[in-house]
Amino acid sequence: SIADTIVLAGYVGVERAAKAAGVALALPFTPGRGDALDAQTDPVSFAPLEPLHDAFRNWLKDDYNVSAEELMLDRAQLMGLTAPEMTVLLGGMRVMGANYGGTKHGVFTQSEGSLTTDFFVTLTDMRYVWEPLAGGLYNLRDRTTGKVQHTATRVDLVFGSNSILRSYAEVYAQEQAGEKFVRDFGAAWVKVMESDLFLRA
């Protein structure tokens, strides 16, 4: 099906990003998704389902009363993700450059497209000071040189400021955590991709 092809393409992308980071990764692909024809759908009914946010792609449709990081938690629990799975997925999506519209907020790496731990290393590096800007954005400014190295959103910042999420981020920021990060990302990716299959044991 086309749905299977889309998922398979994502698997290939993740495996190539892992290879670029120096880790061999083979994700278990399970086919069986079905496609719906136009005659089987009611396009008008889709309007209420239009997404308002996607923290994993660093996108927020509008400025809501609920904060972006709270919306992220809501989406993660709807996807059945644990806090560590949410953390590893978001960090991986950032370094792979999967942001909506190609923005660079939270892409804390010089090797975009490679499944490295750079997001977490930069996030926890005390060399940077977080400087608030308008619209929920931040500059990461080098404390020594004063130069802005990266930009970020509130969603990125929460993984450095919330004590629980920071503890997960620090696991992946460790020097020898590269392979663990890739394998944990792969497992979380497969979990999300297979969540609609309702596989029988």
Side-chain angles (χ1 to χ4, degrees):
S1 66
I2 294 176
D4 275 340
T5 303
I6 292 170
V7 171
L8 182 58
Y11 276 44
V12 172
V14 170
E15 290 174 353
R16 293 180 82 175
K19 183 178 181 181
V23 180
L25 182 68
L27 299 178
F29 172 71
T30 305
R33 296 160 189 82
D35 297 329
L37 302 174
D38 288 345
Q40 297 171 308
T41 62
D42 179 12
V44 177
S45 69
F46 295 161
L49 300 175
E50 181 181 342
L52 304 176
H53 62 94
D54 185 351
F56 296 98
R57 300 196 61 214
N58 226 346
W59 173 73
L60 189 65
K61 183 177 182 180
D62 207 342
D63 186 18
Y64 301 106
N65 290 330
V66 180
S67 68
E69 57 271 27
E70 290 173 310
L71 291 171
M72 172 187 66
L73 292 175
D74 180 61
R75 173 61 55 87
Q77 69 87 22
L78 286 173
M79 295 169 66
L81 297 173
T82 64
E85 289 169 338
M86 174 184 73
T87 302
V88 75
L89 273 178
L90 188 137
M93 296 284 282
R94 291 294 188 274
V95 293
M96 289 196 300
N99 279 353
Y100 176 82
T103 66
K104 299 303 178 186
H105 305 314
V107 184
F108 305 151
T109 184
Q110 299 302 316
S111 54
E112 187 176 336
S114 179
L115 203 49
T116 66
T117 59
D118 290 353
F119 174 82
F120 301 106
V121 172
T122 301
L123 182 78
T124 57
D125 193 337
M126 294 305 295
R127 177 176 47 169
Y128 301 110
V129 60
W130 292 74
E131 178 182 81
L133 305 171
L137 297 177
Y138 293 81
N139 281 335
L140 271 72
R141 189 179 296 277
D142 190 296
R143 293 177 190 270
T144 303
T145 67
K147 183 179 179 181
V148 174
Q149 297 291 341
H150 303 283
T151 59
T153 64
R154 289 178 59 98
V155 168
D156 301 313
L157 173 62
V158 77
F159 288 91
S161 61
N162 178 276
S163 60
I164 295 174
L165 294 179
R166 185 181 178 94
S167 70
Y168 300 136
E170 288 176 349
V171 169
Y172 297 117
Q174 296 178 62
E175 188 173 348
Q176 304 300 323
E179 184 168 350
K180 173 179 171 52
F181 166 68
V182 169
R183 304 218 177 278
D184 288 354
F185 181 90
W189 182 273
V190 171
K191 178 178 179 177
V192 172
M193 293 300 105
E194 292 189 349
S195 64
D196 62 339
L197 288 180
F198 306 104
L199 299 172
R200 294 182 179 178

